[in-house]
Amino acid sequence: MTPVTAVVLAGSRPGGDPFAKAHGTDLKALIPVGGMPMVRRPVEALLASADIGRIRVLAQQPERIREALPGDPRVSVEQSGETIAATLEAFCFDPSVEWPILVTTADHALLTSEMIADFLAESGGAEVAIGVVTREALLKRLPQTQRTWLKFRGGAYSGANLFLLGSPKILSILEVWRSSEQNRKKAWRMLLTLGFFGFLGAILRLRTLKQTLDRIGRKLGLDIHAVELSDPLAAVDVDKPADHELVTAIIEGRA
């Protein structure tokens, strides 16, 4: 298998982050989790993966993030853009990028090499693959957890902060992402990219997740797969104080 380039998004929210400040830093990626800076955990999981080649961490303050990471020559820390979409778009246009690309986030503190192997094995050569966890699996493992669920006919899912970008063809979807990011509080505008009947089907839950992604893929000219990960902890990131407590308890074997 061709080594996969890993991208870790370690940017910060504009205007300061109260969550980070509560933990003694101004950068979310540097919040301590289980005795180490949060960003170090997914990077170490990527380093332990036999499928991953180069690891490129993107951040607005790369020099500070670099200090928190292992000194492995496969890891580089680079300047990011102002938004996720702008960062990825610039990255994908970079002629030095080697495809395919696995994208994850600095707050994926429970990421493991086993999750990575599972995700890549089930991506099936898709041009875009999106990691998800079913509500049933996650609630069986963590009955009290609070997540954002995407509901479709046949089930509800939570994102796992794992994305595979298979080739430069995905630049078309990044354009959609950028326009959606500007209107992210108006979810119906994003759904309208499916067309009227796709929009109606999503609202009424007439379509499965696969049917919805197939429709988006046809519109964009891309093969898009959802990958259901076997480890439900893949859907647990560190985005708020309750997540921090939960992830710390899991790492320490208390949950």
Coordinates of all heavy atoms in Angstrom, one line a residue, residues 2-60:
T2 N 0.5 2.2 -0.8 CA 1.2 3.5 -0.8 C 1.1 4.2 0.5 O 0.0 4.3 1.1 CB 0.6 4.4 -1.9 OG1 0.7 3.8 -3.2 CG2 1.4 5.7 -2.0
P3 N 2.2 4.6 1.1 CA 2.2 5.3 2.4 C 1.2 6.5 2.3 O 1.2 7.3 1.3 CB 3.6 5.8 2.6 CG 4.4 4.8 1.8 CD 3.6 4.5 0.6
V4 N 0.4 6.7 3.3 CA -0.6 7.8 3.4 C 0.1 9.0 4.1 O 0.7 8.8 5.2 CB -1.8 7.3 4.1 CG1 -2.8 8.4 4.3 CG2 -2.4 6.1 3.4
T5 N -0.1 10.2 3.5 CA 0.3 11.4 4.2 C -0.8 11.8 5.2 O -2.0 11.8 4.9 CB 0.4 12.5 3.2 OG1 1.4 12.2 2.2 CG2 0.8 13.8 3.9
A6 N -0.4 12.0 6.4 CA -1.3 12.4 7.5 C -1.3 13.9 7.7 O -0.2 14.5 7.8 CB -1.0 11.7 8.8
V7 N -2.5 14.5 7.8 CA -2.6 15.9 8.2 C -3.3 16.0 9.5 O -4.4 15.5 9.7 CB -3.3 16.7 7.1 CG1 -3.6 18.1 7.5 CG2 -2.5 16.7 5.8
V8 N -2.7 16.7 10.5 CA -3.3 17.0 11.7 C -3.7 18.5 11.8 O -2.8 19.3 11.8 CB -2.4 16.6 12.9 CG1 -3.1 16.8 14.3 CG2 -2.0 15.1 12.8
L9 N -5.0 18.8 11.9 CA -5.4 20.2 12.0 C -5.3 20.6 13.5 O -6.0 20.1 14.3 CB -6.8 20.3 11.5 CG -7.0 19.9 10.0 CD1 -8.5 19.9 9.7 CD2 -6.2 20.7 9.1
A10 N -4.4 21.5 13.8 CA -4.2 22.0 15.1 C -4.3 23.5 15.3 O -3.6 24.1 16.1 CB -2.8 21.5 15.6
G11 N -5.3 24.0 14.5 CA -5.5 25.5 14.6 C -6.3 25.9 15.8 O -6.8 25.1 16.6
S12 N -6.4 27.2 16.0 CA -7.1 27.8 17.1 C -8.2 28.7 16.6 O -8.2 29.2 15.5 CB -6.1 28.7 17.9 OG -5.0 27.9 18.4
R13 N -9.2 28.8 17.5 CA -10.4 29.7 17.1 C -10.0 31.1 17.3 O -9.3 31.5 18.2 CB -11.5 29.4 18.1 CG -12.1 28.0 18.0 CD -13.1 27.7 19.1 NE -13.7 26.4 18.9 CZ -14.5 25.8 19.9 NH1 -14.8 26.5 21.0 NH2 -14.9 24.6 19.7
P14 N -10.4 31.9 16.3 CA -10.1 33.4 16.4 C -10.8 34.0 17.6 O -11.9 33.6 18.0 CB -10.7 34.0 15.1 CG -11.7 33.0 14.7 CD -11.2 31.6 15.1
G15 N -10.1 35.0 18.2 CA -10.7 35.7 19.4 C -10.5 35.0 20.7 O -11.1 35.4 21.7
G16 N -9.7 34.0 20.8 CA -9.5 33.3 22.1 C -10.4 32.2 22.3 O -11.5 32.1 21.7
D17 N -10.0 31.3 23.2 CA -10.7 30.1 23.5 C -10.8 29.9 25.0 O -9.9 29.5 25.6 CB -10.0 28.8 22.9 CG -10.8 27.6 22.9 OD1 -11.7 27.5 23.8 OD2 -10.6 26.6 22.2
P18 N -12.0 30.1 25.6 CA -12.2 30.0 27.0 C -11.9 28.6 27.5 O -11.4 28.5 28.6 CB -13.7 30.3 27.2 CG -14.1 31.2 26.0 CD -13.2 30.6 24.9
F19 N -12.1 27.6 26.7 CA -11.8 26.2 27.1 C -10.3 26.1 27.3 O -9.9 25.5 28.3 CB -12.3 25.3 26.0 CG -12.1 23.8 26.3 CD1 -12.1 23.3 27.6 CD2 -11.9 22.9 25.2 CE1 -11.8 21.9 27.8 CE2 -11.7 21.6 25.4 CZ -11.6 21.1 26.7
A20 N -9.5 26.6 26.4 CA -8.1 26.5 26.5 C -7.6 27.3 27.7 O -6.7 26.9 28.5 CB -7.4 27.0 25.2
K21 N -8.1 28.5 27.9 CA -7.7 29.4 28.9 C -8.0 28.8 30.3 O -7.2 28.9 31.2 CB -8.4 30.7 28.9 CG -7.9 31.6 27.7 CD -8.6 32.9 27.6 CE -8.2 33.7 26.4 NZ -8.9 35.0 26.3
A22 N -9.0 28.0 30.4 CA -9.3 27.3 31.7 C -8.3 26.3 32.0 O -8.2 25.8 33.2 CB -10.7 26.6 31.6
H23 N -7.5 25.8 31.0 CA -6.4 24.9 31.2 C -5.1 25.5 31.1 O -4.1 24.8 30.9 CB -6.6 23.7 30.3 CG -7.8 22.8 30.5 ND1 -7.7 21.8 31.4 CD2 -9.0 22.9 30.1 CE1 -8.9 21.2 31.5 NE2 -9.7 21.9 30.7
G24 N -5.0 26.8 31.3 CA -3.7 27.5 31.4 C -3.0 27.7 30.1 O -1.8 27.9 30.1
T25 N -3.7 27.7 29.0 CA -3.0 28.0 27.7 C -4.0 28.8 26.8 O -5.2 28.9 27.1 CB -2.6 26.7 27.0 OG1 -2.0 27.0 25.7 CG2 -3.8 25.8 26.7
D26 N -3.5 29.3 25.7 CA -4.4 30.0 24.8 C -4.6 29.2 23.5 O -5.3 29.6 22.6 CB -3.8 31.4 24.4 CG -2.4 31.3 23.8 OD1 -1.7 30.3 24.1 OD2 -2.0 32.2 23.0
L27 N -4.0 28.0 23.4 CA -4.1 27.1 22.3 C -4.8 25.8 22.7 O -4.2 25.1 23.5 CB -2.7 26.8 21.7 CG -1.9 28.0 21.2 CD1 -0.6 27.6 20.6 CD2 -2.7 28.8 20.2
K28 N -5.9 25.5 22.1 CA -6.6 24.3 22.4 C -5.7 23.1 22.2 O -5.8 22.1 23.1 CB -7.9 24.2 21.5 CG -8.7 22.9 21.8 CD -9.8 22.8 20.8 CE -10.6 21.5 21.0 NZ -11.6 21.3 20.0
A29 N -4.9 23.0 21.2 CA -4.1 21.8 20.9 C -3.1 21.5 22.0 O -2.6 20.4 22.2 CB -3.3 22.0 19.6
L30 N -2.8 22.5 22.9 CA -1.9 22.3 24.0 C -2.5 22.1 25.3 O -1.8 21.9 26.3 CB -1.0 23.6 24.1 CG -0.1 23.9 22.9 CD1 0.8 25.1 23.1 CD2 0.8 22.7 22.5
I31 N -3.8 21.9 25.4 CA -4.5 21.5 26.6 C -3.9 20.2 27.1 O -3.9 19.2 26.3 CB -6.0 21.5 26.4 CG1 -6.6 22.8 26.1 CG2 -6.7 20.8 27.6 CD1 -8.1 22.8 25.8
P32 N -3.5 20.1 28.3 CA -3.0 18.8 28.8 C -4.1 17.7 28.9 O -5.2 18.0 29.4 CB -2.5 19.1 30.2 CG -2.4 20.6 30.3 CD -3.4 21.1 29.3
V33 N -3.9 16.6 28.4 CA -4.8 15.4 28.5 C -4.0 14.2 28.9 O -3.1 13.8 28.2 CB -5.5 15.1 27.1 CG1 -6.4 13.9 27.2 CG2 -6.3 16.3 26.7
G34 N -4.3 13.7 30.1 CA -3.6 12.5 30.5 C -2.1 12.7 30.7 O -1.3 11.8 30.4
G35 N -1.7 14.0 31.0 CA -0.2 14.2 31.3 C 0.6 14.7 30.1 O 1.8 14.8 30.2
M36 N -0.1 14.9 29.0 CA 0.7 15.4 27.8 C -0.2 16.4 27.0 O -1.4 16.3 27.1 CB 1.2 14.3 26.9 CG 0.1 13.5 26.2 SD 0.8 12.2 25.1 CE 1.5 11.1 26.2
P37 N 0.4 17.3 26.2 CA -0.3 18.1 25.3 C -1.3 17.3 24.4 O -0.8 16.3 23.8 CB 0.7 18.9 24.5 CG 1.9 18.8 25.4 CD 1.9 17.5 26.1
M38 N -2.5 17.8 24.3 CA -3.5 17.0 23.5 C -3.0 16.6 22.1 O -3.2 15.5 21.7 CB -4.8 17.8 23.5 CG -5.9 17.2 22.8 SD -7.5 17.9 23.2 CE -7.2 19.6 22.7
V39 N -2.4 17.6 21.4 CA -2.0 17.3 20.0 C -1.0 16.2 19.9 O -0.9 15.5 18.9 CB -1.5 18.6 19.4 CG1 -0.2 19.0 20.1 CG2 -1.2 18.4 17.9
R40 N -0.3 15.9 21.0 CA 0.8 14.9 20.9 C 0.1 13.5 20.8 O 0.7 12.6 20.1 CB 1.7 14.9 22.1 CG 2.9 14.0 22.1 CD 3.7 14.1 23.3 NE 4.9 13.2 23.2 CZ 6.1 13.6 23.0 NH1 6.4 14.9 22.8 NH2 7.1 12.7 23.0
R41 N -1.1 13.3 21.3 CA -1.7 12.0 21.3 C -2.0 11.5 19.9 O -1.6 10.4 19.5 CB -2.9 12.0 22.3 CG -2.5 12.1 23.7 CD -3.6 11.9 24.7 NE -3.1 11.8 26.0 CZ -2.7 10.7 26.6 NH1 -2.7 9.5 25.9 NH2 -2.2 10.7 27.8
P42 N -2.8 12.2 19.1 CA -3.0 11.7 17.7 C -1.7 11.6 16.9 O -1.6 10.7 16.1 CB -4.0 12.7 17.1 CG -3.8 14.0 18.0 CD -3.5 13.5 19.3
V43 N -0.8 12.5 17.1 CA 0.5 12.4 16.4 C 1.2 11.1 16.7 O 1.7 10.4 15.8 CB 1.4 13.6 16.6 CG1 2.8 13.4 16.1 CG2 0.8 14.9 16.0
E44 N 1.2 10.7 18.0 CA 1.9 9.5 18.4 C 1.1 8.2 17.8 O 1.8 7.2 17.4 CB 2.0 9.4 19.9 CG 3.0 10.3 20.5 CD 3.3 10.0 21.9 OE1 2.6 9.3 22.6 OE2 4.3 10.6 22.4
A45 N -0.2 8.3 17.7 CA -1.0 7.2 17.1 C -0.6 7.1 15.6 O -0.5 6.0 15.1 CB -2.5 7.5 17.3
L46 N -0.5 8.2 14.9 CA -0.1 8.2 13.5 C 1.3 7.6 13.4 O 1.6 6.9 12.4 CB -0.2 9.6 12.9 CG -1.6 10.1 12.8 CD1 -1.6 11.7 12.6 CD2 -2.3 9.5 11.7
L47 N 2.2 8.0 14.2 CA 3.6 7.5 14.2 C 3.6 6.0 14.4 O 4.5 5.3 13.8 CB 4.5 8.2 15.2 CG 4.9 9.6 14.9 CD1 5.6 10.2 16.1 CD2 5.9 9.7 13.7
A48 N 2.7 5.5 15.1 CA 2.7 4.0 15.4 C 2.0 3.2 14.3 O 2.0 2.0 14.3 CB 1.9 3.8 16.7
S49 N 1.4 3.9 13.3 CA 0.7 3.3 12.3 C 1.6 2.9 11.1 O 2.3 3.7 10.6 CB -0.4 4.2 11.7 OG -1.0 3.6 10.6
A50 N 1.5 1.6 10.7 CA 2.4 1.2 9.6 C 1.9 1.7 8.3 O 2.7 1.7 7.3 CB 2.3 -0.4 9.6
D51 N 0.7 2.3 8.2 CA 0.2 2.8 6.9 C 0.6 4.3 6.6 O 0.4 4.7 5.5 CB -1.3 2.7 6.9 CG -1.8 1.3 7.0 OD1 -1.3 0.4 6.3 OD2 -2.7 1.0 7.9
I52 N 1.1 4.9 7.7 CA 1.3 6.4 7.6 C 2.8 6.7 7.2 O 3.7 6.1 7.8 CB 0.9 7.1 8.9 CG1 -0.6 6.9 9.2 CG2 1.2 8.6 8.8 CD1 -1.5 7.4 8.1
G53 N 3.0 7.6 6.3 CA 4.3 8.0 5.9 C 4.6 9.4 6.7 O 4.9 9.4 7.8
R54 N 4.5 10.4 5.9 CA 4.8 11.8 6.5 C 3.6 12.3 7.3 O 2.4 12.0 6.9 CB 5.1 12.7 5.3 CG 5.6 14.1 5.8 CD 6.0 14.9 4.6 NE 6.4 16.3 5.0 CZ 6.6 17.2 4.1 NH1 6.6 17.0 2.8 NH2 7.0 18.5 4.6
I55 N 3.9 13.0 8.4 CA 2.8 13.6 9.2 C 3.0 15.1 9.2 O 4.1 15.6 9.6 CB 2.9 13.1 10.6 CG1 2.7 11.5 10.6 CG2 1.8 13.7 11.5 CD1 3.0 10.9 12.0
R56 N 2.1 15.9 8.7 CA 2.2 17.3 8.6 C 1.1 17.9 9.5 O -0.1 17.8 9.3 CB 2.0 17.7 7.1 CG 3.1 17.1 6.3 CD 2.9 17.4 4.8 NE 3.1 18.8 4.4 CZ 3.2 19.2 3.2 NH1 3.1 18.4 2.2 NH2 3.4 20.5 2.9
V57 N 1.5 18.6 10.5 CA 0.7 19.3 11.5 C 0.5 20.7 11.1 O 1.5 21.4 10.9 CB 1.2 19.2 12.9 CG1 0.3 19.8 13.9 CG2 1.5 17.7 13.3
L58 N -0.7 21.2 11.0 CA -1.0 22.6 10.5 C -1.6 23.4 11.7 O -2.5 23.0 12.3 CB -2.0 22.5 9.4 CG -1.6 21.6 8.2 CD1 -2.7 21.7 7.1 CD2 -0.2 22.0 7.6
A59 N -0.9 24.5 11.9 CA -1.3 25.4 13.1 C -1.0 26.8 12.8 O -0.1 27.1 12.0 CB -0.6 24.9 14.3
Q60 N -1.7 27.8 13.4 CA -1.4 29.2 13.2 C -0.1 29.6 13.9 O 0.5 30.6 13.5 CB -2.6 30.1 13.8 CG -3.8 30.1 12.9 CD -4.9 29.2 13.5 OE1 -4.6 28.3 14.3 NE2 -6.1 29.5 13.2

